[in-house]
Amino acid sequence: MAHDILFKPLKVGDITLPNRVLMAPLTRARTPDMVPGALQETYYGQRATSGLIISEATNISPTARGYVYTPGIYTDEQEAGWKDVVSAVHAHGAHIAMQLWHVGRVSHVSVQPDNQAPLAPSALRGEGAQAFIEFEDGSSGRADASTPRAIETGEIPGLIDEYRQAAVRAKRAGFDMVEVHAANAYLLQQFMATGSNQRTDDYGGSLENRARLPLEVVDAVCEVFGPGRVGLRISPFIEIFGLTDDESEEMAFYMAEELNKRGIAYLHVNEPDWAGDDIHLTDEFRAALRARFSKGALFFCGHYTAERAEDVIERGIADAAVFGRPFIANPDLPERFRREATLNEPNPDTFYGGGAEGYTDYPFLID
């Protein structure tokens, strides 16, 4: 069997995954009413040979939105739609995690309730940040993010409860796990980063204070799912949407240590190649992170091929690799790796928006 190590089972918290070829959270912008439907059932069901599917980023509340056509998990209709998606995945004997999302300042007043300003740690607009909105003529496209307002200290417990209630709905919908999105310059990373967080209360200033909100969110979600079914995603050193951070490495290490104490199932590290200068983490950094997060599984995502994934797993600095665009174009990606088959090339023109084209029509291998 090719790439044998990728097909060894992996215990991740309370769950044992059948392989180490995991599907990344992929925003596809195909839920015009924010409710998953039959198209999503087909899409996720097609990719159920993944060791673990991590859902597209899912808005935890109306204020969490920054992009139209992305799904939510805060209404009964959304919960019911996701329940059908989970059932389609489970019908194949697979596991799926929901990624819980709040974009923070990467938003626009037109997608916020009552056209209010987006929420952020501080009232600082992210330079170059763009939301995806509907225009008055009915068309959609990118628009510069609006200037946010700083969330008040007294509002933070309510924000944490939105994460908790989203986890409650995800659990009722049947998800096996949840992943807290603290990466890619969205709300929780905005709190963690020095450039976007200029608060003077208990959620700003010191590194420990800047990490307080994401850790309190993790604690709230663990109350619902238990730590053995919770993961968190980070993206060290990333500088997109105007995000800057003078203590990115220190924050990554601190979060790893704190999450290790909590015994969560996994830490998911994103090193994307779409963020301007490619984020190529060093093996020294990965090993240092591994040493600090020793109890749970460690996943890396970005730039990975089957060969590269197998290499980092064999050397003990990762437990699994997470694949994004390869899974867009190859619903049977694990089997293609197993057979060392040619991969379909994804079509970037159909990444976001639309219907079945470029979503559920990529070909499978033919026996």
Side-chain angles (χ1 to χ4, degrees):
M1 184 194 302
H3 306 301
D4 287 3
I5 197 168
L6 296 181
F7 295 94
K8 289 183 177 179
L10 173 66
K11 192 172 190 305
V12 178
D14 296 342
I15 294 172
T16 298
L17 306 183
N19 65 62
R20 300 167 188 240
V21 182
L22 314 186
M23 179 175 164
L26 294 159
T27 293
R28 304 303 306 278
R30 279 172 165 84
T31 52
D33 57 359
M34 298 186 68
V35 178
L39 194 60
Q40 284 69 40
E41 291 177 48
T42 300
Y43 171 74
Y44 284 107
Q46 286 178 338
R47 289 154 177 80
T49 54
S50 166
L52 174 68
I53 293 173
I54 305 171
S55 82
E56 61 204 278
T58 303
N59 301 294
I60 63 165
S61 69
T63 62
R65 293 179 74 202
Y67 306 84
V68 292
Y69 315 147
T70 56
I73 186 62
Y74 54 87
T75 71
D76 292 344
E77 294 77 15
Q78 291 164 353
E79 182 182 324
W82 278 118
K83 187 173 184 177
D84 289 340
V85 171
V86 172
S87 294
V89 172
H90 285 172
H92 295 278
H95 296 103
I96 183 168
M98 169 171 277
Q99 190 187 64
L100 304 178
W101 190 31
H102 195 305
V103 302
R105 70 184 187 180
V106 187
S107 187
H108 189 273
V109 293
S110 67
V111 299
Q112 289 289 310
D114 302 319
N115 293 316
Q116 66 187 36
L119 298 176
S122 301
L124 300 170
R125 183 177 165 274
E127 292 300 321
Q130 291 190 314
F132 197 82
I133 70 170
E134 276 191 343
F135 299 107
E136 291 183 0
D137 63 3
S139 64
S140 59
R142 298 186 181 278
D144 290 342
S146 302
T147 300
R149 72 171 180 87
I151 185 170
E152 297 178 8
T153 306
E155 295 177 286
I156 288 180
L159 173 64
I160 295 169
D161 193 57
E162 288 178 345
Y163 278 96
R164 181 184 292 105
Q165 294 307 315
V168 168
R169 287 189 179 275
K171 188 173 184 178
R172 287 202 302 246
F175 279 89
D176 302 289
M177 311 181 90
V178 287
E179 176 177 290
V180 175
H181 195 348
N184 297 3
Y186 294 122
L187 180 69
L188 296 183
Q189 189 169 20
Q190 292 162 26
F191 267 87
M192 292 157 64
T194 58
S196 49
N197 185 341
Q198 296 185 3
R199 302 177 70 90
T200 57
D201 62 0
D202 288 345
Y203 293 89
S206 69
L207 185 147
E208 292 79 7
N209 279 357
R210 286 182 281 112
R212 189 182 305 277
L213 179 60
L215 291 173
E216 288 182 346
V217 167
V218 167
D219 291 340
V221 170
C222 284
E223 290 173 7
V224 178
F225 267 84
R229 291 177 181 264
V230 172
L232 181 128
R233 194 184 210 206
I234 59 174
S235 52
F237 311 111
I238 198 171
E239 293 192 352
I240 57 172
F241 304 151
L243 186 93
T244 59
D245 191 357
D246 295 333
E247 296 182 337
S248 188
E249 180 173 275
E250 294 89 342
M251 178 60 76
F253 290 162
Y254 177 74
M255 289 294 292
E257 291 168 353
E258 289 297 313
L259 296 170
N260 199 55
K261 293 175 186 176
R262 288 161 169 80
I264 71 166
Y266 70 84
L267 178 59
H268 177 186
V269 184
N270 192 28
E271 42 180 317
D273 60 0
W274 45 258
D277 293 333
D278 291 355
I279 308 297
H280 290 281
L281 302 180
T282 65
D283 280 348
E284 290 76 14
F285 174 82
R286 292 190 187 90
L289 204 63
R290 167 84 287 173
R292 289 165 171 81
F293 189 74
S294 58
K295 295 178 182 178
L298 188 58
F299 307 156
F300 289 95
C301 178
H303 311 283
Y304 282 88
T305 61
E307 293 76 17
R308 186 162 176 256
E310 197 164 49
D311 175 64
V312 294
I313 294 170
E314 278 187 318
R315 289 189 288 123
I317 54 177
D319 296 297
V322 186
F323 297 84
R325 280 171 288 187
F327 255 119
I328 288 178
N330 300 274
D332 54 355
L333 184 66
E335 186 62 20
R336 288 177 185 265
F337 284 167
R338 191 192 302 269
R339 300 192 199 179
E340 297 187 316
T342 302
L343 301 185
N344 300 321
E345 287 295 324
N347 177 6
D349 293 338
T350 58
F351 280 177
Y352 306 110
E357 182 184 1
Y359 191 59
T360 57
D361 62 350
Y362 282 104
F364 288 72
L365 286 171
I366 299 174
D367 290 321

